[in-house]
Amino acid sequence: MAKLGFIGLGLMGGPMARNLLKAGHDVALWTNTKGKAEQVAAEAGGKACATPAEVAQHAECVFLCVGDSTMSERVILGPAGVREGGRKGLIVVDASTVSPASSRHTHEELGKSGIDFLGAPCTGSTPGAVNATLTFMIGGEERVFEKVRPWLEVMGKKLYFCGGPAMGIHAKLTQNLVLSNLLQAFNEGIVLSTKAGVDPKLMLDILSNSAAKSGLIDYKAPFIFRRDFETNFSVKWMHKDMGLMLESAQELSVPLFMTSLSRQLFQAAITRGHGEEDICSTIKVLEEMTGVEVKG
């Protein structure tokens, strides 16, 4: 049993923390949503804390999964943050998807206090978090990664060490770049074929048995067909990630033509009120424009 901490108990962080508790670890909990840490502690065990600093005081390793770079830096480096409560030798593992620049900054700042840091964004959405089948992409020092590997394995099934600080973030952004553009390609294709009169389920079967086969589409299409847009990964958070892709691309002088347009489609979905829904709800933008509804 290890003394761990978990900060951020949303759609991803909540199940991740519960899996650590289920494995028998002593986990200190904090989240920005009032009463949520107490709820998880009452249901699954662990200790609800008043601040991120209190979590750090309890733990040898603190995990966090929060929404964006600003949130991450605030709970780690801000007043009553992890750094304030941590001691030399503490390990902080950020499973959030933040900007590479922010991850590098946090790594450097914690290092000044003798605190080790890994950027370890994960993929697998809510089902992966619940079922402990997440994929982690890790950046930082390999010796630190080896220390936390047993705890990451409680939450995920695939761990990729990608290199130094922020390298895990770069890998995660690339993965989401391909995913988001694939989704928009499917949206365009299935709306086009549906309007032409091809049955959507037939079209999916054709795609799934051709060179256009995609695991993402095979998984997401049935949700669209039954008009189920309950959130596994929200439009607003993917839109945020796409902004990070474009920011990183600008730093590295890499043009991202398709991603720039895809992000505008995500923005259109947010403007139409779909920001809190699952990313597959972005199809509604084209449906509304063309007067077609894709359903089984």
Side-chain angles (χ1 to χ4, degrees):
M1 183 180 73
K3 294 179 75 65
L4 306 176
F6 209 104
I7 294 172
L9 301 172
L11 287 175
M12 297 289 288
M16 293 163 72
R18 288 172 185 272
N19 283 328
L20 290 172
L21 287 162
K22 194 184 301 182
H25 297 298
D26 181 7
V27 185
L29 306 162
W30 183 87
T31 193
N32 194 48
T33 303
K34 186 175 177 62
K36 189 65 177 290
E38 289 79 4
Q39 178 187 345
V40 173
E43 294 172 355
K47 173 189 177 185
C49 295
T51 64
E54 187 180 338
V55 172
Q57 290 167 359
H58 169 93
E60 58 189 289
C61 178
V62 175
F63 295 91
L64 65 146
C65 189
V66 297
D68 58 28
S69 304
T70 301
M71 294 180 194
S72 174
E73 290 193 29
R74 184 172 67 244
V75 299
I76 296 174
L77 304 175
V82 171
R83 177 173 60 180
E84 187 175 301
R87 57 195 176 279
K88 186 175 180 179
L90 175 69
I91 300 173
V92 178
V93 181
D94 191 355
S96 320
T97 303
V98 301
S99 75
S102 174
S103 188
R104 288 192 296 268
H105 173 69
T106 299
H107 184 276
E108 292 168 3
E109 288 300 308
L110 289 180
K112 295 175 184 177
S113 300
I115 297 173
D116 289 316
F117 178 76
L118 295 175
C122 55
T123 187
S125 297
T126 304
V130 171
N131 297 314
T133 57
L134 293 170
T135 295
F136 288 91
M137 290 147 277
I138 298 100
E141 295 184 45
E142 193 164 9
R143 64 168 182 83
V144 180
F145 165 56
E146 291 302 333
K147 286 182 182 179
V148 305
R149 178 193 287 272
W151 306 321
L152 288 171
E153 287 175 340
V154 170
M155 299 180 284
K157 67 175 183 178
K158 291 187 179 179
L159 312 178
Y160 293 101
F161 181 73
C162 300
M167 288 299 102
I169 299 291
H170 282 295
K172 171 64 186 295
L173 292 178
T174 294
Q175 186 260 335
N176 271 5
L177 182 154
V178 174
L179 185 155
S180 56
N181 284 312
L182 272 173
L183 183 62
Q184 293 309 314
F186 173 73
N187 288 348
E188 291 188 5
I190 201 72
V191 167
L192 177 64
S193 61
T194 300
K195 187 154 190 179
V198 180
D199 178 74
K201 288 187 176 180
L202 173 62
M203 191 67 244
L204 177 62
D205 193 36
I206 293 169
L207 292 172
S208 298
N209 288 283
S210 74
K213 179 178 174 61
S214 163
L216 168 72
I217 302 312
D218 285 347
Y219 178 70
K220 287 294 185 184
F223 288 91
I224 294 172
F225 294 167
R226 63 177 180 263
R227 314 307 292 174
D228 177 2
F229 301 110
E230 184 178 352
T231 306
N232 285 318
F233 185 12
S234 74
V235 171
K236 73 174 184 180
W237 290 129
M238 178 61 89
H239 177 266
K240 179 268 295 183
D241 287 358
M242 296 172 86
L244 298 180
M245 298 168 203
L246 295 171
E247 178 185 314
S248 178
Q250 184 174 350
E251 292 174 358
L252 297 170
S253 298
V254 176
L256 300 182
F257 305 111
M258 291 186 295
T259 303
S260 299
L261 179 56
S262 289
R263 189 169 192 246
Q264 291 304 309
L265 291 167
F266 274 79
Q267 180 63 65
I270 292 170
T271 301
R272 285 166 168 78
H274 308 310
E276 299 292 342
E277 297 176 357
D278 190 79
I279 56 173
C280 65
S281 71
T282 53
I283 197 170
K284 293 180 183 179
V285 175
L286 280 175
E287 289 180 329
E288 291 166 11
M289 293 173 67
T290 59
V292 171
E293 188 175 83
V294 177
K295 57 184 179 181

